[in-house]
Amino acid sequence: MQTRVLPFSDDAITEAARLILAGEPVAVPTETVYGLAADATNAEAVARIYEAKGRPSFNPLIVHVSDFNEARKVADLGPLSTELAERHWPGPLTVVAPLKADSPIASLVTAGLPTIGVRVPGHRAIQALLQAVGHPLAAPSANASGSISPTRAEHVERSLGGRIPLILDDGACPRGIESTIVAETGGELRLLRRGPLDIEGAAFAAAGAKLESPGQMVSHYAPSKPLRLNADEAGEDEYLIGFGPVPGDSSLSPSGDLAEAAARLFDRLYAADASSGKTIAVAPIPERGLGLAINDRLRRAAAPR
Ligand code: TXA
Ligand code: MG
């Protein structure tokens, strides 16, 4: 299959919507990472996502909808998640809630779970696509299962080129790491995945949030080369990704800005993977604020596999 790359435009959205309604998956940027989107009400289309990614089928997908009212058609949002959603949607927040009884979502999307992960994205490209398609879109990150998440169209091409028909190109994703995931159960919010939101913030803490280790595979976001963390200097034949005072071969953020570092993280990992270095090292990232979410990704990327 030939993978076309189209810059964001009305015509590109029309073509993407046509493919999606014909049951094909299309890569589209969101504010977090590029997603591989398919019609969430069409089981066969959703199966093509799993097929293109080579993803284990027990891993449920996030459903993207255009606004809060659409979210309520697929999920029974409790009071705590409603409050969070009102504060952060459209934005990098995914809420896991009971699946609505009469929802049109294909059961392959939730991998048969009685819950669903839903989010209202803030990026113009996926919002335009949601409007044009008129159905919820299931979309995991647009990379082969277990590899680095894509924050540019080129990343998607490298990972899924030849396996999907179309990539919508709208430049680099502003946030650069996947959405924060929370679940509401028994009147409490649980954090399932750290993401761009400052969940140490007052609103979330007041809601009684507890940190829960994500039910994800330990080795994830993996480059093809070994990765060493907390490095102050490069070893022999090693590509060093710097941060703050550690310059490296390239830097996540020379000024030590964690938001900039998050936005560049996967891009630098792709560059390191494509470099002539035999191994990759990353400078220490402070364990606070967005640094928590960055270090979570880095530990997974460095985990033995
Ligand atoms: O920012 C994002 O969230 C990106 C963009 C494309 O929206 N999407 C993304 O999807 O990161 P994915 O499939 O790579 O990660 C989805 C995560 C998985 O760890 C999955 O286990 C979890 O969400 N998830 C989805 N539905 C769930 C559910 N019902 N219960 C628990 N976890 C769920
Ligand atoms: Mg992913």
Side-chain angles (χ1 to χ4, degrees):
M1 178 187 302
Q2 202 195 326
T3 301
R4 277 180 302 158
V5 181
L6 293 178
F8 175 77
S9 70
D10 288 349
D11 285 352
I13 291 294
T14 303
E15 175 59 4
R18 185 190 69 76
L19 285 165
I20 285 180
L21 288 169
E24 298 288 339
V26 168
V28 57
T30 79
E31 71 272 56
T32 58
V33 300
Y34 274 70
L36 185 59
D39 181 350
T41 67
N42 176 346
E44 227 175 276
V46 176
R48 285 191 214 282
I49 293 179
Y50 288 104
E51 186 181 50
K53 281 180 66 81
R55 178 175 217 177
S57 57
F58 50 77
N59 211 349
L61 306 177
I62 293 173
V63 171
H64 300 69
V65 293
S66 53
D67 59 31
F68 183 77
N69 273 337
E70 292 299 313
R72 284 177 46 210
K73 291 182 188 167
V74 300
D76 285 320
L77 299 175
L80 297 175
S81 21
T82 296
E83 202 187 308
L84 262 188
E86 279 171 347
R87 186 184 300 261
H88 295 291
W89 280 350
L93 169 75
T94 296
V95 172
V96 171
L99 179 64
K100 210 167 179 66
D102 54 359
S103 102
I105 301 299
S107 64
L108 193 54
V109 172
T110 54
L113 292 174
T115 54
I116 183 169
V118 64
R119 110 173 165 94
V120 176
H123 196 284
R124 66 174 182 174
I126 188 164
Q127 274 291 346
L129 191 56
L130 283 164
Q131 297 298 334
V133 170
H135 294 178
L137 294 173
S141 49
N143 53 281
S145 187
S147 66
I148 307 169
S149 293
T151 57
R152 294 176 181 276
E154 302 91 88
H155 301 164
V156 182
E157 223 177 344
R158 229 177 288 167
S159 192
L160 295 178
R163 308 179 69 137
I164 58 175
L166 179 64
I167 300 168
L168 278 175
D169 184 355
D170 199 13
C173 301
R175 299 296 199 131
I177 54 176
E178 301 88 342
S179 60
T180 302
I181 306 183
V182 302
E184 182 174 358
T185 40
E188 272 193 332
L189 284 178
R190 291 172 303 131
L191 180 61
L192 300 187
R193 179 173 75 186
R194 291 188 188 277
L197 297 184
D198 185 5
I199 45 80
E200 253 64 56
F204 200 86
K210 279 196 284 184
L211 183 65
E212 177 170 285
S213 64
Q216 297 172 312
M217 279 161 281
V218 174
S219 168
H220 204 100
Y221 313 106
S224 65
K225 298 170 185 173
L227 179 66
R228 188 167 69 88
L229 305 182
N230 297 312
D232 293 320
E233 52 187 44
E236 202 177 328
D237 287 336
E238 193 166 56
Y239 184 99
L240 177 61
I241 300 174
F243 177 82
V246 179
D249 294 286
S250 65
S251 178
L252 289 173
S253 171
S255 66
D257 178 337
L258 288 167
E260 182 178 48
R264 289 184 181 167
L265 177 65
F266 293 126
D267 192 46
R268 293 298 180 265
L269 284 173
Y270 268 101
D273 224 10
S275 77
S276 59
K278 292 208 174 75
T279 57
I280 306 169
V282 185
I285 309 296
E287 193 74 0
R288 62 177 157 76
L290 268 180
L292 296 168
I294 294 171
N295 283 325
D296 171 69
R297 268 65 173 184
L298 284 174
R299 276 191 289 272
R300 284 170 203 283
R305 51 198 116 100

